[in-house]
Amino acid sequence: MSAPLLDVQNLRVTFPTLQGPVEVVRGISFQVGRERVGIVGESGSGKSMTGRSILRLIRSPGTVTADRLRLGDTDILTASDRDMRAIRGRRISMVMQDPKFSLNPVMTIGAQIGEALTVHQKLPRQAVRRRVHEMLEAVRIRDPERVFGLYPHEVSGGMGQRVMIAMMLIPEPDLLIADEPTSALDVSVRAQVLQIIDDLVTRKGMGLIFISHDLNLVSRFCDRILVMYAGEIVEQCRASELGKATHPYTRGLLASVPRLNETRAELPVLDRSAWSVA
Amino acid sequence: MNALQIRNLSVSYGDTRVVDTVSINVVRGESFALVGESGSGKSTVLKAVAGLAPQWTGEISVFGQPRSKGIDRAFASRGQMVFQDPYGSLHPRQTVDATLSEPLAIHGLGGQDARVQEIMAAVGLDRRFRFRLPHQLSGGQRQRVAIARALMLEPKLLLLDEPTSALDVSVQAEILNLLKRLRREKGLSYLLVTHDLPVVSFLCDRLAVMREGKIVETNTVDALKRGRMTNDYSRELIEKSALTTSA
Ligand SMILES: Nc1ncnc2c1ncn2[C@@H]1O[C@H](COP(=O)(O)OP(=O)(O)OP(=O)(O)O)[C@@H](O)[C@H]1O
Ligand SMILES: Nc1ncnc2c1ncn2[C@@H]1O[C@H](COP(=O)(O)OP(=O)(O)OP(=O)(O)O)[C@@H](O)[C@H]1O
Ligand SMILES: [Mg+2]
Ligand SMILES: [Mg+2]
């Protein structure tokens, strides 16, 4: 692996709750190079919190600590808020899990994507409009002219996801964190959107953290996979070897995927008590 | 009698027609899937049934009762909808407990405490989440709250818009098993929107494929499993789905 783009050591995220502080990310360490790293794992296991902490987007009262959290030679832990604003978008972008909620509700789709482009780069208006148009077409939005002028509540779930992806890719970041980016896309559109992301990885050397619950998808699309459970990384493997994973949680996950010619009357579920992390 | 009958439904926003003469019958006790291209109008069909689409034409009836164009209070006890976007559909300042108790309170039903506990367990939400707000939950936890809320009144017809798309496969399996069991034990009917053909295969009897506002094919899930869908676009979806699944 080339020199890591992102280096994370002993990352912890804690929230105060009525029952006292809970650690939702519990000392995880990993590195990401110019490659595709998938993160899979149980709902609530800390995947989104891991992604958000890399961008320092954990809202108070949540707290983040780490022994190391570096992007190239930038120390994210000690960077000023101003530095962070410069990093977000241009060097690291994140496609959020709730795209429609993360978009600005009072700004049209076209204006938002345009802004993502012009924040870090001066361009004439016509050129911006053309680039936005191209980007909407690239993510397979039908009728980009109409969608350009729509507000977030006026687009479908999958269109919202694609708008968010367009916005995050247009500045060509060094690292893209994509949190369930294609869960609302039909398989046909999904394949094309993944192709655009893949292009940036192979052509521009972008690093990718791909958070998804779709095991088949990550095993085909990514190079490596991290499996999270209850705030910890319980297993790491090459993506192509996910089928040979050994941790009982990963095995359980694999068994509960329905198949196209499904004949089971009931899907197997996990007995979580069997391997609860202390 | 049909649980849901939609005849020649068309919905427009301004000059754009986003649902075009769609007809669907969901037989009582049936589980019917709506799949198709992103942006093709699937959520809009569900919203029209739930009374949330502005201008529509055509006929919609639920258990034989024609749906009026306005708000239909009687609908809530017969039908419930789980929205595609759980963040938007949950009240930001309402705890899980309040969200789940409210439907019972509105309908003057008692036994709220026990019922909230029971339903949370059924969707796999630990007790410790009961007094949390939506932003204090993960994406999949919020989605389960939305499913739980829809089940509180035990509606006879459930409109489910991508109900398991934010769930990892182990939690998805629990929810799918639960839906299957409720259907068997209580005779619920489902109209389910999903992009996941294996989910259709597990839970549904029939499906319709949408593209650009129109239904291009209605067929049985048996035909889906045997590769006997006839429309070119349906076949493309199955082919691409086979590429990304069955690892
Ligand atoms: N403000 C908060 N206060 C307390 N706990 C929180 C808060 N925000 C999130 N959590 C908890 O942190 C844990 C990790 O959340 P995270 O969003 O990272 O999960 P996830 O792995 O992304 O799950 P999903 O697949 O469902 O999106 C969850 O159990 C969640 O309930
Ligand atoms: N309030 C609105 N104003 C204008 N157009 C709208 C509005 N709501 C929906 N639309 C349009 O209706 C079309 C269908 O949207 P719908 O949400 O039904 O699609 P969908 O099939 O559910 O897609 P997805 O699978 O991506 O969720 C889209 O082109 C969308 O832009
Ligand atoms: Mg998440
Ligand atoms: Mg939709």
Side-chain angles (χ1 to χ4, degrees):
Chain A
M1 193 174 75
S2 48
L5 205 59
L6 177 76
D7 188 1
V8 179
Q9 293 295 324
N10 197 21
L11 175 72
R12 293 173 189 272
V13 180
T14 309
F15 284 99
T17 68
L18 295 174
Q19 296 89 358
V22 282
E23 211 170 58
V24 300
V25 177
R26 300 150 62 107
I28 66 173
S29 304
F30 63 96
Q31 298 183 329
V32 180
R34 302 194 178 279
E35 57 175 338
R36 295 157 296 195
V37 177
I39 302 186
V40 301
E42 168 133 305
S43 169
S45 61
K47 305 181 296 293
S48 298
M49 290 301 153
T50 299
R52 296 181 72 98
S53 43
I54 296 168
L55 278 168
R56 282 227 325 245
L57 286 175
I58 302 287
R59 276 185 238 107
S60 147
T63 52
V64 179
T65 64
D67 293 347
R68 192 157 62 231
L69 185 53
R70 300 182 71 88
L71 175 74
D73 39 21
T74 311
D75 186 351
I76 293 176
L77 287 172
T78 57
S80 67
D81 286 350
R82 193 152 155 259
D83 292 341
M84 279 317 292
R85 276 196 296 277
I87 289 174
R88 284 185 208 123
R90 198 167 53 89
R91 296 189 59 198
I92 315 179
S93 325
M94 180 161 176
V95 176
M96 300 284 177
Q97 189 171 7
D98 296 281
K100 284 172 79 176
F101 185 80
S102 313
L103 293 170
N104 182 343
V106 295
M107 205 169 162
T108 63
I109 300 296
Q112 295 194 51
I113 303 177
E115 193 184 73
L117 183 62
T118 50
V119 153
H120 305 291
Q121 182 185 0
K122 279 273 156 289
L123 276 177
R125 261 184 58 183
Q126 273 313 312
V128 173
R129 202 178 164 96
R130 202 170 48 239
R131 279 285 284 137
V132 171
H133 211 284
E134 281 167 13
M135 207 61 207
L136 286 173
E137 247 162 29
V139 292
R140 280 268 310 260
I141 296 277
R142 274 183 197 274
D143 200 357
E145 205 53 56
R146 179 179 70 94
V147 175
F148 193 97
L150 294 180
Y151 289 91
H153 74 273
E154 297 174 328
V155 300
S156 79
M159 287 159 74
Q161 272 187 340
R162 285 176 282 161
V163 166
M164 186 98 198
I165 290 172
M167 249 173 92
M168 294 303 139
L169 290 182
I170 212 166
E172 304 202 336
D174 297 331
L175 175 68
L176 176 71
I177 304 170
D179 195 353
E180 299 281 4
T182 60
S183 62
L185 302 182
D186 62 87
V187 284
S188 174
V189 168
R190 174 180 301 168
Q192 298 193 347
V193 168
L194 290 175
Q195 187 59 51
I196 304 171
I197 297 179
D198 197 50
D199 242 33
L200 285 175
V201 175
T202 46
R203 207 165 37 81
K204 294 268 161 81
M206 180 178 80
L208 174 69
I209 297 179
F210 192 91
I211 301 173
S212 173
H213 63 83
D214 189 332
L215 298 179
N216 294 311
L217 180 64
V218 284
S219 73
R220 274 162 201 269
F221 185 65
C222 295
D223 303 305
R224 283 193 299 136
I225 295 181
L226 313 177
V227 183
M228 285 188 73
Y229 184 78
E232 294 178 14
I233 295 175
V234 294
E235 181 153 20
Q236 310 198 26
C237 63
R238 294 171 57 91
S240 53
E241 283 162 12
L242 184 65
K244 297 183 207 138
T246 52
H247 191 277
Y249 172 65
T250 322
R251 301 282 346 146
L253 276 186
L254 289 167
S256 42
V257 181
R259 307 186 196 107
L260 192 53
N261 54 358
E262 189 56 68
T263 51
R264 292 174 289 185
E266 207 166 291
L267 295 169
V269 298
L270 295 172
D271 176 11
R272 291 181 174 74
S273 59
W275 60 84
S276 61
V277 210
Chain B
M1 195 205 311
N2 285 321
L4 173 66
Q5 183 159 338
I6 302 176
R7 213 178 280 156
N8 292 327
L9 174 70
S10 295
V11 183
S12 298
Y13 288 101
D15 296 336
T16 318
R17 180 175 273 208
V18 298
V19 172
D20 193 355
T21 53
V22 160
S23 297
I24 293 170
N25 277 341
V26 181
V27 181
R28 189 185 280 251
E30 187 182 30
S31 177
F32 190 102
L34 198 51
V35 306
E37 189 170 32
S38 166
S40 62
K42 304 178 298 295
S43 298
T44 307
V45 169
L46 263 57
K47 284 183 192 161
V49 177
L52 299 166
Q55 306 165 14
W56 55 273
T57 58
E59 289 161 45
I60 300 175
S61 56
V62 177
F63 295 105
Q65 298 263 12
R67 168 166 243 317
S68 67
K69 300 269 146 105
I71 290 176
D72 187 344
R73 287 197 186 282
F75 178 76
S77 53
R78 281 177 282 140
Q80 282 284 323
M81 174 155 174
V82 176
F83 292 86
Q84 183 170 12
D85 163 26
Y87 219 137
S89 72
L90 297 175
H91 192 293
R93 302 231 174 91
Q94 231 176 27
T95 63
V96 173
D97 181 68
T99 303
L100 298 182
S101 312
E102 191 177 46
L104 293 185
I106 288 176
H107 287 81
L109 300 170
Q112 293 173 15
D113 184 60
R115 182 83 182 116
V116 168
Q117 286 191 33
E118 179 194 353
I119 207 82
M120 283 184 70
V123 297
L125 278 175
D126 193 273
R127 285 214 315 270
R128 68 178 189 276
F129 298 121
R130 185 160 173 187
F131 296 99
R132 292 235 189 131
L133 295 168
H135 77 269
Q136 296 170 321
L137 299 172
S138 79
Q141 289 161 352
R142 278 195 290 273
Q143 196 162 33
R144 280 177 276 168
V145 174
I147 295 171
R149 175 178 59 185
L151 293 174
M152 281 308 278
L153 292 174
E154 301 198 336
K156 290 290 175 212
L157 172 67
L158 265 180
L159 311 170
L160 301 157
D161 199 348
E162 300 274 5
T164 60
S165 67
L167 301 178
D168 70 273
V169 286
S170 68
V171 177
Q172 167 173 284
E174 287 171 32
I175 300 282
L176 293 178
N177 287 339
L178 171 70
L179 290 173
K180 212 170 197 180
R181 200 183 70 230
L182 286 172
R183 181 183 162 200
R184 195 174 57 232
E185 290 172 1
K186 312 224 156 134
L188 303 195
S189 313
Y190 304 133
L191 178 56
L192 167 85
V193 173
T194 179
H195 287 298
D196 196 331
L197 294 180
V199 167
V200 174
S201 203
F202 177 71
L203 192 65
C204 299
D205 311 301
R206 290 191 301 146
L207 77 161
V209 181
M210 279 187 81
R211 191 176 205 193
E212 293 191 81
K214 291 197 171 72
I215 290 184
V216 297
E217 177 169 5
T218 302
N219 214 324
T220 60
V221 165
D222 194 52
L224 169 73
K225 289 182 184 173
R226 291 167 190 268
R228 300 225 174 112
M229 301 283 285
T230 54
N231 178 272
D232 283 347
Y233 178 65
S234 318
R235 297 174 73 98
E236 180 190 330
L237 283 185
I238 296 169
E239 221 167 86
K240 296 237 165 85
S241 170
L243 284 180
T244 53
T245 54
S246 69

